[in-house]
Amino acid sequence: MNFENRTGEPSSVHWHGIRIDNAMDGVPELTQDAVPDGGDFQYRFVTPDAGTFWYHSHSRSWEQVARGLYGPLIVDERTPPDVDADIIVMIDDWWLEQSGELRDDFNSIFHFSHGGRLGNYAKAIVSQSAVLEGDRVRLRLINTANARVFPVDVDGVEGNLVALDGMPLKAVRPIDTIHLAPAQRADIIADVTGDIEVSFWTGQEHYPLATINAEGSNPSTRTFPIAPLPPNNVATTNGDADIHVTLKMQGGAMGGRHPGDDIWSFNGTSGLQESPWLNLQRGTVVRMTLVNDTSFPHGIHLHGHHFYEMDGEISLWPLRDTSLVDARGSRDILCVFNNPGKWLLHCHTLGHSVTGLKTWVEVA
């Protein structure tokens, strides 16, 4: 993949969710130098997993992603599921002037210290605008927003949730409201019963994001049940951990004092340090308690790995690469660190990451 930077400023590309070779991860200060304006960089990597992924700038990402430097990255199964349509649904919001132009206040301290750059206009960009009633479809939802957590509802279909963050669920789930933090993804396989309406609840109303029109009927509807997708080859665990650590999010507006030297901190330390937060041998199983001691939700993203969200029965733990931790809440995750290199761990509210909410681990 030849990246040609013609943006007018340094940039790089991160391949979000791909369990990638470390040198290709696209993180300035950690895995490569930012590519200067006018420069090129060749990314070469294997996609080990089938699923719904995406790519985006990782240099001044709080601005460059907001300006549109992102896109979907789809890796097909060797034998894809039997569907009539495979539809990408990229969900985003924008902070706009009355004229419709993008507001230029990307370095707003208010946004950095509160919930991030929350747009006043939202939309889902879909790869297909029409289907037939009775079609079986795969919907790939991707939250590409800088900061907004979208509680997404999908009407006009009957089916199941089959994957999260590119990783198949061991057992399909009913479709309910899907809470997507920035960078999270969800795959649905379902049968069309009418116009497909994608919306989210603002707290006051259902805000429409996209409509995929049902035009006509499919004469050959499928009657067999929706089955789980084939699993990816990810390291498994019986639930036991070699070490147990705590990562505490601190700071922000209404967050109180903390020892860090920026707006936000992890365990009292803001931003990347010379030494990693964790130095691990390959294959180490880490149980990590994510503690959100702030007044805002955070979606915590780990590069180069997927991890188990420890919730309910161990046999049903979902694999994620980004975990949503509610304000004043906590969540335990379990990760087999088996990909060598220097890996970023950060909040995917991009204004939070640049103002302290990031660290890194090294796997030898």
Side-chain angles (χ1 to χ4, degrees):
M1 197 83 68
N2 198 47
F3 171 52
E4 301 176 355
N5 183 10
R6 307 296 183 264
T7 63
E9 58 189 44
S11 192
S12 65
V13 184
H14 171 55
W15 314 94
H16 189 112
I18 304 295
R19 296 185 296 132
I20 205 165
D21 179 73
N22 188 240
M24 299 290 106
D25 199 40
V27 181
E29 302 180 70
L30 202 61
T31 67
Q32 69 171 97
D33 293 330
V35 181
D37 178 51
D40 298 352
F41 188 89
Q42 189 173 81
Y43 291 96
R44 298 175 62 88
F45 56 90
V46 173
T47 55
D49 305 311
T52 301
F53 306 100
W54 67 303
Y55 60 92
H56 58 82
S57 163
H58 221 291
S59 181
R60 291 187 61 85
S61 57
W62 70 96
E63 177 178 352
Q64 292 189 5
V65 173
R67 291 189 181 277
L69 288 184
Y70 64 79
L73 197 165
I74 306 304
V75 184
D76 287 326
E77 293 82 4
R78 294 186 184 278
T79 304
D82 181 16
V83 296
D84 296 294
D86 191 321
I87 304 173
I88 300 167
V89 183
M90 290 196 304
I91 304 169
D92 202 350
D93 66 356
W94 295 265
W95 186 237
L96 301 178
E97 303 281 7
Q98 287 289 335
S99 64
E101 294 178 309
L102 196 63
R103 289 190 60 164
D104 201 28
D105 55 345
F106 294 101
N107 296 319
S108 164
I109 296 299
F110 179 86
H111 290 155
F112 286 163
S113 61
H114 287 74
R117 187 181 174 89
L118 299 172
N120 54 8
Y121 173 73
K123 184 179 180 180
I125 301 168
V126 297
S127 62
Q128 183 171 322
S129 59
V131 291
L132 298 176
E133 189 169 330
D135 276 354
R136 180 161 289 182
V137 298
R138 180 176 187 167
L139 302 175
R140 301 176 183 264
L141 311 179
I142 309 173
N143 183 357
T144 62
N146 265 37
R148 187 177 296 279
V149 178
F150 283 97
V152 179
D153 290 299
V154 182
D155 296 313
V157 296
E158 292 181 357
N160 297 103
L161 181 69
V162 296
L164 292 168
D165 288 359
M167 289 294 171
L169 298 175
K170 294 179 182 178
V172 300
R173 299 180 183 179
I175 301 172
D176 201 349
T177 299
I178 304 170
H179 287 79
L180 291 179
Q184 287 186 323
R185 290 90 65 212
D187 286 43
I188 292 168
I189 295 181
D191 298 322
V192 178
T193 59
D195 291 346
I196 302 174
E197 304 283 354
V198 183
S199 65
F200 80 100
W201 177 248
T202 66
Q204 297 177 321
E205 63 179 353
H206 279 284
Y207 184 104
L209 292 167
T211 299
I212 302 171
N213 295 313
E215 300 177 353
S217 299
N218 186 335
S220 303
T221 58
R222 292 163 177 78
T223 57
F224 56 85
I226 294 166
L229 297 171
N232 289 317
N233 186 21
V234 180
T236 58
T237 173
N238 62 4
D240 294 332
D242 298 311
I243 61 172
H244 184 185
V245 297
T246 297
L247 189 67
K248 182 180 288 188
M249 302 153 231
Q250 300 164 295
M254 301 169 287
R257 294 183 178 275
H258 62 93
D261 55 9
D262 209 331
I263 295 172
W264 305 90
S265 69
F266 276 136
N267 291 351
T269 301
S270 299
L272 298 186
Q273 306 298 304
E274 288 188 10
S275 299
W277 171 54
L278 295 177
N279 205 322
L280 303 168
Q281 291 297 312
R282 188 174 183 179
T284 302
V285 183
V286 178
R287 177 171 180 161
M288 194 178 300
T289 300
L290 304 174
V291 177
N292 185 353
D293 194 22
T294 83
S295 299
F296 301 93
H298 302 286
I300 304 302
H301 172 46
L302 173 63
H303 287 218
H305 297 78
H306 277 73
F307 51 78
Y308 294 92
E309 280 191 333
M310 301 175 72
D311 183 24
E313 295 294 327
I314 184 172
S315 60
L316 296 177
W317 287 351
L319 277 164
R320 308 299 298 258
D321 60 45
T322 305
S323 189
L324 177 60
V325 188
D326 291 331
R328 307 296 175 183
S330 67
R331 178 184 292 281
D332 277 26
I333 63 174
L334 194 72
C335 183
V336 182
F337 282 90
N338 62 350
N339 194 355
K342 300 176 179 180
W343 300 109
L344 192 67
L345 178 63
H346 69 107
C347 177
H348 221 283
T349 298
L350 299 175
H352 294 173
S353 180
V354 72
T355 52
L357 215 51
K358 61 182 174 181
T359 186
W360 63 289
V361 300
E362 185 164 19
V363 182

